[in-house]
Amino acid sequence: MRIMVQKFGGTSLSTVQAREHVLRHVKRELEAGLSLVIVVSAMGRRGEPYATDTLLDWAAQNGNALSAREKDLLLCCGEIISATTLSSLLEHEGIPTTVLTGAQAGFVTDDNFGNARILDVRPVRVLEQLQLGRVVVVTGFQGQTENGDFTTLGRGGSDTSATALGAALRAEMVDIYTDVNGILTADPRIVEDARPLTVVSYAEICNMAHHGAKVIHPRAVEIAMQSQIPVRVRSTFADTEGTLVTHPEGFQDVQTGIVDRYVTGIAYVSNVTQITVDVAGGADRLQLKVFKTMAENSISVDFINVTPSGVVYTVFDSDSEKAIQVLQEIGLKPQSLSGCAKVSVIGGGINGVPGIMARIVESLTLADIQILQSADSNTTIWVLVKKEDMVQALRALHASFELHL
């Protein structure tokens, strides 16, 4: 049995016209002889009646007192509405379907309500229904604890549901359908000449997702990479192949030959605050005190530089006031710079290539953009700039590495 997993996001299901495109994609793969599992998100975005954010707003307007457990119970309704709606449309077209919740599909999670982690996927009922020749529609974003409580997987959880189910079923492919035509070299709303990528490695897209690109959730890519399940990111509203996410060994394109590039794309995260704590104050074991305090107060840290003279790192602007306060409470004297942005240059060919950092510095210097901080890994070099310089920085780097070609 050849199995494919298709995942459709909220915008792919929010209108009659969009759902007609979904039906077209389903019929095409069935005609190709594939057995289909379809993972769905809640319909639409905030303001539309069944969207996840709309349900959260509803809870806030009605007492705003739900515990995390009960909130997950409410949020599971959005995907159930999507799944049953799609099932009805498919049945109307003569396509037999079975709807399964995340729990019924075999997703076992921990009890971290609101951001649960998948512990196991036991797709027994999914396989049973596939063997009966039925299309299985699964509610994404959700699972169940061993005790039977409903859980949700956090933002982007439907992507994670799709790749985890694909891994458990040993699917031939996981297709992630969105409202954009695959993965682009940069955010097209900022960089007008950003272009779609034919193929990227798991590591590249995982880094792009971690550093701000919102096309696919990084945890979903990690699961696909561990299981070596290929993923395509495609547009619901077109018949193009989109972007294939695979191992570098799979980078053979029949039209262009081997893909050979240093830099794949540029990503960004805005609205961050840089925090600097110097040793000058005489604090003993400074680094331990700083990061332990952040952890104890559930403040996420990023872009970390640790030196004998102190520490520099970033937090989201929304956490900056609290971060400064708790550091002051333990006797430290932090300095902060709010309104920053992290700009990342990502590519599997960066490692060991001379001149990449020089080109980054040169392009930003010529654009009169100050670099506040920098760091690098095997596939990513990122710089911190002022938020007002972010757009110009993205465009300058995109042009410098000729990603528009």
Side-chain angles (χ1 to χ4, degrees), residues 104-120:
Q104 293 165 339
F107 284 90
V108 181
T109 75
D110 61 21
D111 61 358
N112 183 20
F113 298 104
N115 193 28
R117 193 167 184 86
I118 298 170
L119 302 177
D120 196 10

Side-chain angles (χ1 to χ4, degrees), residues 63-292:
N64 198 27
L66 284 180
S67 69
R69 177 185 177 277
E70 278 65 38
K71 192 175 291 184
D72 271 7
L73 194 60
L74 169 66
L75 295 185
C76 286
C77 296
E79 280 71 27
I80 292 173
I81 292 169
S82 290
T84 51
T85 299
L86 182 56
S87 173
S88 180
L89 291 169
L90 290 170
E91 292 281 354
H92 181 72
E93 297 290 324
I95 300 170
T97 66
T98 299
V99 173
L100 298 176
T101 65
Q104 293 165 339
F107 284 90
V108 181
T109 75
D110 61 21
D111 61 358
N112 183 20
F113 298 104
N115 193 28
R117 193 167 184 86
I118 298 170
L119 302 177
D120 196 10
V121 183
R122 305 164 186 168
V124 176
R125 293 186 66 180
V126 176
L127 285 168
E128 289 175 351
Q129 296 303 309
L130 290 176
Q131 288 164 357
L132 293 173
R134 305 179 72 83
V135 171
V136 182
V137 184
V138 177
T139 57
F141 177 62
Q142 58 183 248
Q144 183 175 294
T145 68
E146 292 282 12
N147 292 329
D149 287 326
F150 281 13
T151 56
T152 63
L153 306 180
R155 293 295 182 178
S158 292
D159 290 348
T160 307
S161 298
T163 57
L165 199 50
L169 295 168
R170 303 308 302 170
E172 287 190 9
M173 181 75 69
V174 176
D175 277 352
I176 306 288
Y177 285 91
T178 73
D179 54 0
V180 296
N181 187 23
I183 299 164
L184 278 69
T185 52
D187 186 339
R189 296 169 299 179
I190 295 176
V191 182
E192 293 181 355
D193 56 358
R195 63 175 181 83
L197 294 160
T198 303
V199 59
V200 298
S201 71
Y202 294 116
E204 287 173 325
I205 186 54
C206 199
N207 275 289
M208 290 176 74
H210 273 301
H211 296 298
K214 297 179 175 62
V215 177
I216 185 171
H217 195 277
R219 180 59 185 146
V221 181
E222 290 165 1
I223 291 172
M225 178 168 57
Q226 291 163 6
S227 305
Q228 300 188 39
I229 300 294
V231 175
R232 284 184 300 200
V233 179
R234 313 179 67 175
S235 170
T236 303
F237 308 101
D239 289 320
T240 54
E241 288 293 315
T243 304
L244 176 66
V245 183
T246 186
H247 283 292
E249 302 88 76
F251 278 30
Q252 177 68 47
D253 184 273
V254 294
Q255 294 180 333
T256 61
I258 297 294
V259 176
D260 185 13
R261 63 190 177 219
Y262 296 133
V263 173
T264 300
I266 313 293
Y268 68 94
V269 176
S270 59
N271 301 315
V272 297
T273 295
Q274 182 189 55
I275 294 178
T276 303
V277 187
D278 295 324
V279 174
D284 184 38
R285 305 178 75 183
L286 173 74
Q287 293 91 342
L288 176 60
K289 286 185 177 181
V290 168
F291 296 116
K292 187 174 181 180

Side-chain angles (χ1 to χ4, degrees), residues 304-318:
I304 302 165
N305 293 138
V306 177
T307 69
S309 61
V311 298
V312 183
Y313 61 99
T314 61
V315 301
F316 289 113
D317 283 348
S318 56

